[in-house]
Structure formats: structure tokens, C-alpha cells
Amino acid sequence: MYRRAILLALLAFALPLRAQDGYRQPPAPIAQILDAQPLPAASIHPGRRLMLLLERRGLPPIAEVAAPFLGLGGDRVNPKTNGTARELSYAELAVKAIDGGTERKIETPAGARIGSPSWSPDGRAIAFTLTGDSGIALWVADATTGKARALTGPVLNGTTGAPCQWMSDNARLVCRTIPRGRGAPPPDDEVPAGPIVQQTTGKASPNRTYEDLLGSPGDERKFEYYYTSQLAIVATDGQTRTLGAPGIHVRAEPSPDGRYVVVETLHRPFSYVVPRSRFPRRIAVWDIDGRVVRELADVGLDETRSIAFDAVSSGPRDVEWRATAPATLTWALALDGGNPATSAAKRDRVLMLAAPFTGEPTTLAELETRAAGVSWIGDVAVVDEEWWKTRRVKSWLVPTAGSAQPRLLFDYSSEDRYAAPGKFVTVPNASGLRVPLTTADGRYAYLVGEGASPEGDRPFLDRLELATGKTTRLWRSAAPNYEEVVAVLDPDARRVVTRRESVRDVPNYFLRDVRAAKLTALTRFADPAPQFAGVTSQLVTYARDDGVQLSATLYLPAGYDAKRDGRLPFFLWAYPQEFKTAAAAAQVRGSPYRFTRPTGASHLLLLTQGYGVLDGPTMPIVGEGDREPNDHYVEQLVASAQAAVDKIVAMGVADRDRIGIGGHSYGAFMTANLLAHSRIFRAGVARSGAYNRTLTPFGFQAEERSYWQVPQIYGRMSPFNYADSVSAPILLIHGMADDNSGTFPIQTERFYAALKGHGKTVRYVQLPGEAHGYRARESIGHTLWEMVTWLDTYVKPAKPTATRNE
């Protein structure tokens, strides 16, 4: 089978590569796989009795993806809908009882773009949005009958995400709406009123590169126009009343008792160098009639924050309602001004203030590092803290009643996946806020995690004794399946919903009786891409020449037999990651028991064209002690790639002279560096990468030092500086509307010019309308056509370069 695939591919792509031929279709069966319906997702009912099945849409057409948008404040706005330009939407919704019964489809108009589905706190209703050509409307469905109806017309403001949130009475939602009578949008400035001036007065303002920022007074007017919203309370009977005055309200969350709303409102001065998340904002508590009860803070423009990863705003942040109280707010406040370079015994304070919000806030906890979240188990707070520089994560149990002192619950490295304790199993309470699930006596809670191990990921369910911190393993995924807990259905954790799969079995949802080890199928999704059946995979481990252990997933084409068919042309797809310890870098990632069906522009589709694929070979960049990982980036990268190739050659499946390398984003950066600094690969595919680090001078990826601190590191890591040394043909692909920080299209444009100027073999493909991740069916199909054509031209028919010892 694989020999026939190779012959067909060579015949199909024997034509010369032309530059402007329109969108091309990839060879069979890739095109058919791209058009398959994706597997549904699921959301569990608050009472854990029902499942909401979310039918995903297929790949959208280029006409939708390339529709006009406005880049404002770091976001992309669809001016026709007043929502985000690239919203996640579903095609259909259906409700299914966990204990059996008929699946009920929710009635929505044909062709609807369904967004932001959410259960009411009592689970009787499901709210969702429908996006049409002229705007976003709020709908609600009865969870029992599936009947749905519109609560508003297309008046919602979706510029900052889900526009509505349920209140605890199950009968009302707080929504951001378009102000009535706002008029026409500001026109483009046809005649400039004057120069655009920016100025600094000597205060350092180091900022990473951002896309879609404001850049003119006209942009500022458009930002105010599209982001200004009128808060409103929308009842399930269709009645609507406004709440307070219009403003740039980016957040409005009702209190658990439904008497207050915490509102965050942006205001001028805006910025041309940072996104809206760092614009000035007022944080206030409103009552349910829209009156300001208390202004918690007016946080100023945040342009001068350090680029260090542990740096934060100097004002209140992460303002949240306490889930187990009627109306109590918590928030974090930096004690070191938000600057990790400032010496401080305590870095953060977590504060708490209860209704009627007239007194001074009390201190819930003071932390040595950064607050990273608060959850609640009755009167006990679970306070998380973290410090990126050391990779330490801690969790504390902090009583709010009595004289008991905080107690350390967890203390581990964020890099140490083997030691990760897992995350609390949470359920929505009566107000709709999520809290950790506990036994009826409050003695135990539950943890779920990936269960990383030397054998691969094995998800688990643990019971945690809160008084002692002792855990008991209740269940763990076992070979030959990969199974993960989706929901725990009862306080004793006897029944759980899991998502279960194997190499041959489609991922489906199951009801598992943990004690009886009994499984009942809840869904029976079919294989979306049976053309991929027969592909084999295995988890492989090997060592780098410095002793660091590495791992990858090896895929072989359907029907392939090494003894009969010999060595294959191979393709490696990778993404480097930084570590502070070699031990953490050596940990195995992934599982050999996953069901693999590629979606989008996946490199795994090359398996249908006669290639073997080494997927995710770990490329750890390690900097232990005082050394930073990138101090020896190139050397470690080349060593990791060499070890991966040596492994598949030693296994007898890969032809050393016919191996390509590729990656997306930081993986594209990796690809260019490997072709510039080694002679391991015959060709490369680099998609949406950055190649000149002087264009990201205030840090990139996990590098928090600036160019001026370590110019030699930035220079050494930039493949642009070594364009004259690139050793193999390289295919460069980039979305023309890339929205990712640091990977502006100019990165690929200038790298292509440098390679062309040095006479290298390079092809530069620009995808109209595409952002950092490609979405349109036409773009994805063409990307795969380009990849197959490139590798069939420069890898598959390659001749040996020299006599080698295999």
C-alpha cells in the first residue's frame, strides 16, 4: 500500500512548482479527511444528570476567515457583528441523559453559528448566542424539551468574549449590549488632521511585540465605539432593563446572592504600545440597580511593567467573587510594586471584602511569591502561589474562621510533571460558581491529573484527605486505553464520566462505576477519518549525547512492514521547550494509547503519502543553576535532532538520507536554525515563524532577558544571521494576518529575501486572511499540498550523500 502511495505522489507532483496558481487541493485521501465532521465535545450538567453535546463546525471557507476585521487594542473585531473576528462556534447542540434516555437536539435555525453555551445554575436551561450577519443574539433552551427561543435581537456586544452570564436565580442574565442609538461607526480619516506623535519622558517602558494595537486617534474612536457597552439584565421571559451608564465595560459578573455586580471599565488614556488588558480601568461594585456601591480601584495605564515573567500590575488584580459567601470579593495586590527585581520578604497579599463594602478589606494571606488563584471549600480558602523564575508552585489551606494557621498543601516544580498532584475536581454550586467537590462530611476532596510517568501519561482520580494532605488513588487509566475523568457524579466518587480511547477505538464518553470497574457507553461516535485506520504508533525513548533522556511518538504508514518494505522517507515535527533541570527535561510526554486522527494542517497526514513521521521529538533546552536555557540553545537543539534521527535509523525504519524537519511558530524557528547549523536534514518546512530576534528585543518565548542584556544570545539564536549557511531547501509559509506576538509576517518576508539573496532553494507562501493558526478549508488544503509537494521534490527521491554506518 505504501509503495503505491509513493508512486502516485511522485506522478502527481512531477510538474514544476508555479507561483500563482490559486488554491491547490492535497492528494487523496487528505482532502477527504479534511472534509470529515469533527468529533463533538461535551459539557456536564450542574447536577451531573445530563450531558450537553456540542457539534463542532467543519473547516470554514476562506470567505468567512478572510472577512474584514478591525485590529483594536490587541484584539480583532468583526465590525458587522460587534463580536470577535474569529469566534469559536458550534453547528448543533443536543442534550443526553447520563443514565440513559433519548438524545434531544436543541432547536436552532439552520446554519446557525452557536456560541458561548452555558447551563443555568440549576441546570434547567441552557443559554447560548447565535451570530448572524448583522450581530449576536441571546437564546435560551429548555434542557428537558430542547425547545429554544430568542431572548434578544442581535444587540449583544461580544468584543471581549462571552457577552452574558447567568445570575443565581436561574431566571436572569447580566449581558453587555450595544448602546441604543449609538449611531454610525466613526469614518476613516481620509484627510490627516496632523502627525501622530508618541513621546516618553525617560521612564523605561520595555514591552514585547504585540499585534493589532491602536495606532491613531481614529483607532481610538473606533475602539470606544465598538467596545462601549450598555449593561443589561435580561430575564428568561424576555424582559430587559438597563443597568447603569454605558462604558467600555470589559467585565460584569453578578455576586452569588444576585444583589451586586463587579464591573471593570476601561478609560483613557489609551496606549499605542500595549493591548487593552493594560489600559487604565476602574474596578467597582454596583448594586442591581446600577448604582456604584464602592470603587475598589482605578488602576492606571500599565506601560512600564518589567518584562520579567513574574512581573505584574501594581494595582488590584484577579478580582473575584468568593464562591461560598453571598457577596464577598477577593483580589491580589503586589507588595513589591509588581517588580520581581525589588527585594521583598512577601510579594503578594490576598485581600477580602464583604458586602456592604463599606469597611476596609481584610488580609486573607500574604505570600512569598505571586498569587495564582483562590478557590473555596466552605470557610477554607485554597490559595495558590507560583514563581516562574524558580518554577515553584505552592497551595495553601487558609481558614477564615477560628485561630488555625495556614497549612501548606502542595509544593512542587511546575516542570516536574511526574510529581504534579493534579487539580481539584470542581462542581458548580447553587449560584453557578465552581467549588471543589467534597464528601458529605467535608473530610475529603478529589484530584484529577494527567498522571505523567515513564510509561507515558496515565490520567488518575485521587481522594485527598484535607486534614492531612494524604492522597489515596481511586482509579488510574490502564493500557491499552487512554481514559480521563470528565466529571465526578457523586460526593463519594463512585460514578464518574470519562472520555476513553485507544489506538483503535474512537474517543467516546462513558459512565464508569469506579468500585465495580464497570463501564457503560454514553456516546457512540464514529471514526471521522477511517482512511487513517491502520497507521501504527509507538512511544519511543532515547538519549542525547549529553545524557538527557528524550522521547517521541513514532508513526508508520498503514500496511508498512520494515523487513518487507525497507527504510522510509521520514518527517520530524517538533517544538522546543525550555527547562531549568535536566531531570524535568527527561520526563516522558504523551501516551502510546491515543486515538490519532489528524485535523487541520496536520503533519500526520503525510503518513497517507508514504512517509514515516516522528511526532513531537522532545527538544529540551536546559539551563541549570545560574545558567539560562538559551545560553546554549543551538548546541542543544542540534544534539536533540541528531539523537532523534539516530534513533529512527537504528530502529531500521528511516532512511538517514531522506529525512525532513518541520514546525510551526517556535517550531519554525527551530527548523530554520537546524538547517542553518547542521546537515542532518534534506529539507525543511517552517510555518509562521520568527527568524530575526532583534525584532523581538524585549524577550520571546521563555526568554525574559532583553536584547541589550544578551545581544550575543539574540544574535546566535537568529537564523536570519545565518541565512548564508542554510544547507537544505526550506518551505516558508505564513498567514498574512498573523496575530501572534513576535511572529509578524515581516519575519518570513525578510528571511526569504536573505535566503534568496544568497542563492538558497526557498519557497515563500503567503496565506491571505489567515492568522497565526490557519482555519480556512482552502488555506489548510493548500498548505498540505505545499508540504507534500516540497517533501516529494526534495526528500522522497533524495540520493545518498555519502556512505553511512547505519
Side-chain angles (χ1 to χ4, degrees):
M1 177 178 176
Y2 89 99
R3 289 183 184 276
R4 182 172 178 271
I6 292 176
L7 178 60
L8 289 174
L10 288 173
L11 290 174
F13 297 108
L15 299 175
L17 296 176
R18 291 180 291 176
Q20 316 300 334
D21 280 342
Y23 290 107
R24 303 295 293 269
Q25 283 280 359
I30 296 177
Q32 291 74 25
I33 294 174
L34 293 182
D35 293 328
Q37 185 64 33
L39 291 175
S43 171
I44 305 300
H45 178 269
R48 284 93 76 198
R49 296 184 295 103
L50 304 170
M51 297 172 60
L52 178 64
L53 299 177
L54 307 124
E55 191 77 30
R56 295 185 174 98
R57 300 172 67 212
L59 296 175
I62 189 64
E64 178 181 327
V65 171
F69 66 85
L70 298 174
L72 300 171
D75 297 331
R76 293 185 171 179
V77 175
N78 183 332
K80 292 184 177 180
T81 66
N82 218 109
T84 59
R86 287 168 172 79
E87 64 177 352
L88 172 66
S89 61
Y90 301 97
E92 290 184 347
L93 303 177
V95 176
K96 181 179 179 64
I98 288 175
D99 287 323
T102 305
E103 180 177 308
R104 297 179 300 279
K105 284 193 175 183
I106 291 177
E107 301 170 356
T108 56
R113 300 205 302 271
I114 302 169
S116 307
S118 63
W119 295 96
S120 62
D122 63 5
R124 295 182 180 180
I126 301 162
F128 54 92
T129 61
L130 286 188
T131 301
D133 293 337
S134 62
I136 305 169
L138 176 65
W139 282 56
V140 67
D142 186 296
T144 301
T145 65
K147 291 188 177 298
R149 54 196 169 85
L151 294 183
T152 74
V155 298
L156 299 183
N157 189 319
T159 50
T160 59
C164 296
Q165 184 168 328
W166 281 101
M167 298 181 69
S168 58
D169 62 6
N170 303 290
R172 297 177 297 170
L173 299 97
V174 175
C175 296
R176 296 190 307 276
T177 68
I178 296 170
R180 184 171 297 179
R182 71 172 178 178
D188 293 329
D189 294 327
E190 295 183 3
V191 178
I196 296 171
V197 178
Q198 298 184 60
Q199 180 175 322
T200 182
T201 56
K203 194 168 186 179
S205 300
N207 289 294
R208 293 203 171 199
T209 51
Y210 299 105
E211 184 62 281
D212 299 314
L213 299 176
L214 302 182
S216 70
D219 284 350
E220 295 186 58
R221 290 191 291 273
K222 290 177 182 177
F223 179 79
E224 287 183 313
Y225 178 86
Y226 287 103
Y227 280 77
T228 294
S229 64
Q230 169 67 65
L231 298 185
I233 295 179
V234 180
T236 53
D237 64 5
Q239 297 296 310
T240 299
R241 69 176 178 88
T242 60
L243 188 66
I248 307 176
H249 306 310
V250 296
R251 181 168 173 249
E253 295 189 9
S255 60
D257 64 4
R259 296 178 59 195
Y260 303 95
V261 181
V262 62
V263 179
E264 292 192 18
T265 307
L266 305 186
H267 63 81
R268 290 177 179 269
F270 303 142
S271 173
Y272 292 5
V273 296
V274 294
R276 67 169 173 85
S277 60
R278 291 165 69 172
F279 286 5
R281 67 191 56 225
R282 293 186 184 91
I283 306 172
V285 180
W286 295 9
D287 67 18
I288 206 62
D289 293 317
R291 292 184 292 260
V292 176
V293 175
R294 176 158 180 171
E295 185 175 293
L296 296 178
D298 190 345
V299 181
L301 179 61
D302 188 10
E303 283 188 342
T304 60
R305 184 192 305 182
S306 163
I307 60 172
F309 290 171
D310 291 313
V312 295
S313 166
S314 60
R317 65 184 199 278
D318 301 328
V319 181
E320 303 287 349
W321 291 111
R322 173 177 167 176
T324 57
T328 297
L329 286 169
T330 65
W331 65 90
L333 185 68
L335 299 176
D336 57 4
N339 188 352
T342 300
S343 178
K346 301 287 186 180
R347 296 281 178 186
D348 266 8
R349 177 179 292 140
V350 181
L351 297 166
M352 188 165 57
L353 181 64
F357 311 104
T358 55
E360 292 302 312
T362 59
T363 297
L364 177 63
E366 288 194 347
L367 306 171
E368 294 181 355
T369 57
R370 292 285 178 239
V374 181
S375 55
W376 291 89
I377 303 174
D379 288 332
V380 177
V382 182
V383 180
D384 299 324
E385 64 173 308
E386 62 187 13
W387 197 243
W388 184 87
K389 194 71 173 178
T390 60
R391 312 305 199 266
R392 298 310 301 177
V393 178
K394 295 180 182 180
S395 294
W396 298 86
L397 292 180
V398 183
T400 59
S403 58
Q405 296 298 305
R407 181 167 58 82
L408 184 64
L409 183 62
F410 302 128
D411 183 0
Y412 61 100
S413 168
S414 60
E415 290 187 341
D416 189 355
R417 298 179 71 245
Y418 291 179
K423 302 294 183 183
F424 280 105
V425 173
T426 63
V427 294
N429 63 11
S431 65
L433 298 179
R434 300 195 73 87
V435 295
L437 175 67
T438 62
T439 52
D441 59 8
R443 184 179 175 185
Y444 298 98
Y446 300 97
L447 302 169
V448 291
E450 295 178 334
S453 74
E455 297 80 39
D457 291 349
R458 295 180 57 196
F460 63 83
L461 171 65
D462 282 357
R463 184 177 64 205
L464 170 70
E465 187 173 33
L466 293 167
T468 64
K470 180 182 178 182
T471 58
T472 301
R473 178 83 13 113
L474 301 181
W475 170 85
R476 190 175 191 183
S477 179
N481 296 100
Y482 179 90
E483 188 174 0
E484 57 187 337
V485 173
V486 174
V488 177
L489 302 184
D490 55 76
D492 293 327
R494 174 163 185 165
R495 299 194 316 154
V496 300
V497 173
T498 66
R499 188 175 187 268
R500 177 182 170 95
E501 63 190 272
S502 74
V503 171
R504 293 182 177 82
D505 296 318
V506 179
N508 269 288
Y509 292 92
F510 288 81
L511 176 62
R512 171 177 283 278
D513 187 315
V514 174
R515 296 179 191 173
K518 179 183 177 182
L519 275 177
T520 303
L522 298 176
T523 61
R524 299 185 185 278
F525 303 141
D527 187 344
Q531 304 94 329
F532 209 73
V535 167
T536 61
S537 65
Q538 69 178 103
L539 186 67
V540 296
T541 58
Y542 48 99
R544 203 163 69 184
D545 59 8
D546 60 0
V548 174
Q549 295 297 305
L550 308 174
S551 61
T553 302
L554 174 71
Y555 289 93
L556 296 171
Y560 171 73
D561 179 270
K563 291 183 179 179
R564 181 192 67 214
D565 301 323
R567 297 178 181 274
L568 291 172
F570 248 80
F571 188 63
L572 277 63
W573 187 267
Y575 192 95
Q577 187 173 350
E578 299 83 351
F579 295 91
K580 286 301 292 178
T581 68
Q587 293 184 352
V588 173
R589 284 160 175 76
S591 167
Y593 306 119
R594 302 301 300 264
F595 180 84
T596 302
R597 291 296 182 269
T599 59
S602 174
H603 52 283
L604 294 180
L605 290 164
L606 290 167
L607 288 156
T608 68
Q609 306 303 307
Y611 291 87
V613 175
L614 192 67
D615 186 36
T618 49
M619 300 276 181
I621 311 299
V622 184
E624 297 195 274
D626 293 333
R627 295 171 56 186
E628 291 297 325
N630 287 335
D631 290 352
H632 297 282
Y633 170 86
V634 169
E635 294 77 9
Q636 295 190 61
L637 188 70
V638 171
S640 295
Q642 187 66 64
V645 168
D646 289 347
K647 175 64 177 180
I648 56 178
V649 169
M651 292 176 68
V653 296
D655 180 345
R656 189 185 294 275
D657 289 300
R658 295 191 296 160
I659 299 178
I661 181 71
H664 188 94
S665 193
Y666 207 54
F669 175 71
M670 168 208 73
T671 298
N673 267 305
L674 284 171
L675 297 190
H677 297 287
S678 76
R679 300 296 182 266
I680 302 171
F681 302 102
R682 276 301 183 109
V685 177
R687 299 191 332 211
S688 297
Y691 309 103
N692 183 347
R693 284 301 163 200
T694 67
L695 298 179
T696 57
F698 287 107
F700 57 91
Q701 206 69 7
E703 179 58 70
E704 61 178 354
R705 298 170 295 183
S706 76
Y707 165 77
W708 294 272
Q709 290 175 285
V710 284
Q712 70 283 5
I713 300 298
Y714 276 66
R716 175 66 169 160
M717 290 181 68
S718 295
F720 177 85
N721 292 343
Y722 298 90
D724 59 334
S725 300
V726 169
S727 60
I730 184 169
L731 171 63
L732 302 174
I733 304 176
H734 213 120
M736 295 175 70
D738 196 318
D739 57 347
N740 184 55
S741 175
T743 55
F744 298 164
I746 193 174
Q747 288 273 5
T748 300
E749 175 189 329
R750 301 318 301 159
F751 189 43
Y752 169 74
L755 292 167
K756 182 179 180 180
H758 283 92
K760 305 299 180 179
T761 300
V762 56
R763 181 173 170 90
Y764 175 28
V765 179
Q766 302 176 73
L767 299 176
E770 292 293 351
H772 194 59
Y774 316 149
R775 297 177 61 237
R777 171 62 177 82
E778 294 90 336
S779 302
I780 289 172
H782 188 86
T783 295
L784 290 165
W785 180 85
E786 292 281 358
M787 291 174 64
V788 171
T789 303
W790 195 255
L791 297 175
D792 281 355
T793 302
Y794 295 109
V795 172
K796 189 175 286 183
K799 300 295 190 294
T801 55
T803 301
R804 298 178 185 269
N805 295 319
E806 304 295 5

